[in-house]
Amino acid sequence: ISICRDLPNIEVITFSVNGISDLEPLNQCQNLSELYLRKNNITSLNELFYLKNLPRLRVLWLSDNPCCGADPHRYRMTVLRNLPHLQKLDNQAVTEEELSQALVDGEEITAPPARRNVENGCPESSAAESTTETESGLLNFSLEETNKIREQLGMKPVPRDKFSSFSPRERDYSRKKRNNVLNAILLLMKELDVEGLEIVQQTAGRRLQACRKKELQEE
């Protein structure tokens, strides 16, 4: 997520399932309009402090983070009190009634969270949390997330048999590594001009031909 410090003009960020715990790198992304952060390790709603000064933020997906807590009403009201310009929170449209109620039921965040010793990445707790998902559930979610990113890049979806060839641990590590690389590519491509995009297209084309040739040889 630290790459966002160098991308102030980025408009859409997808960092779901990445072990992220600190949103401070986002506070300079003034053009950010959509932010997808579900299933990370954001433990405190005080992290919203770093999003309060993003004037164009309209879509936020923060569900399945520890900060959501056991009270979904309090969570939603607190998010909307601090980010009243949101139009959609966790894939649910925001209403005028909710924004009014948030002024009463939501908690105002006026300071960033206390610094923690745990760095962004895969916290120890994530291992325990992952055991609550069945291997089949992890496979389906991993395949869905990966193919969504591949679709954005104009790539063909990954066949299920290709994905199931990994062991659970290898698959989880490979998925995170692949998603991190693809997300970084998507972020950086928005910063390129026509000439830069043409270079990327040519390089990707050569790489794709090499991969297809290798697949044919293996078959």
Side-chain angles (χ1 to χ4, degrees):
I1 194 174
S2 60
I3 191 176
C4 295
R5 293 192 180 97
D6 300 322
L7 300 170
N9 296 321
I10 195 71
E11 296 180 9
V12 179
I13 293 177
T14 302
F15 276 148
S16 298
V17 199
N18 272 286
I20 291 169
S21 61
D22 181 6
L23 301 186
E24 185 274 333
L26 301 175
N27 67 354
Q28 299 299 320
C29 299
Q30 293 295 299
N31 289 330
L32 186 63
S33 62
E34 298 181 26
L35 178 59
Y36 301 92
L37 290 167
R38 65 193 185 96
K39 290 197 174 186
N40 278 286
N41 193 46
I42 301 169
T43 59
S44 171
L45 286 176
N46 280 37
E47 294 289 343
L48 295 174
F49 177 83
Y50 299 117
L51 307 181
K52 293 181 70 172
N53 294 321
L54 303 182
R56 300 185 179 181
L57 186 61
R58 295 294 181 267
V59 177
L60 175 64
W61 201 327
L62 195 60
S63 62
D64 298 309
N65 275 278
C67 65
C68 297
D71 187 345
H73 177 75
R74 176 186 174 277
Y75 153 72
R76 190 170 177 89
M77 292 295 99
T78 296
V79 173
L80 295 182
R81 176 165 183 175
N82 291 277
L83 303 175
H85 297 301
L86 286 181
Q87 297 176 353
K88 187 176 288 188
L89 173 60
D90 297 336
N91 206 32
Q92 182 178 342
V94 176
T95 66
E96 291 294 334
E97 291 77 10
E98 283 184 310
L99 292 175
S100 298
Q101 191 64 37
L103 296 175
V104 178
D105 297 345
E107 177 184 346
E108 184 174 4
I109 295 171
T110 59
R115 290 297 177 188
R116 298 174 295 278
N117 292 328
V118 179
E119 296 181 355
N120 283 350
C122 298
E124 295 180 1
S125 61
S126 64
E129 292 169 359
S130 65
T131 60
T132 62
E133 299 185 61
T134 63
E135 180 176 335
S136 176
L138 178 60
L139 172 60
N140 291 336
F141 182 77
S142 172
L143 191 61
E144 175 188 351
E145 287 288 305
T146 299
N147 283 338
K148 183 177 180 180
I149 295 175
R150 291 175 70 88
E151 181 181 356
Q152 294 178 45
L153 288 170
M155 301 167 66
K156 293 182 179 179
V158 179
R160 182 176 295 275
D161 59 346
K162 294 285 186 179
F163 233 85
S164 60
S165 63
F166 297 98
S167 70
R169 176 173 294 183
E170 290 171 336
R171 183 172 57 245
D172 189 46
Y173 171 78
S174 297
R175 170 176 56 81
K176 290 180 179 179
K177 180 179 179 181
R178 178 173 49 252
N179 282 358
N180 284 338
V181 172
L182 288 173
N183 279 326
I185 291 172
L186 287 172
L187 291 171
L188 292 171
M189 283 180 67
K190 290 181 177 293
E191 302 295 315
L192 296 177
D193 56 13
V194 174
E195 182 180 359
L197 289 171
E198 288 177 347
I199 294 173
V200 171
Q201 183 181 38
Q202 293 169 4
T203 303
R206 289 194 295 268
R207 174 63 176 160
L208 183 59
Q209 289 179 352
C211 290
R212 285 175 175 171
K213 183 178 180 180
K214 183 178 179 181
E215 287 180 354
L216 290 173
Q217 292 175 343
E218 291 176 351
E219 292 175 357

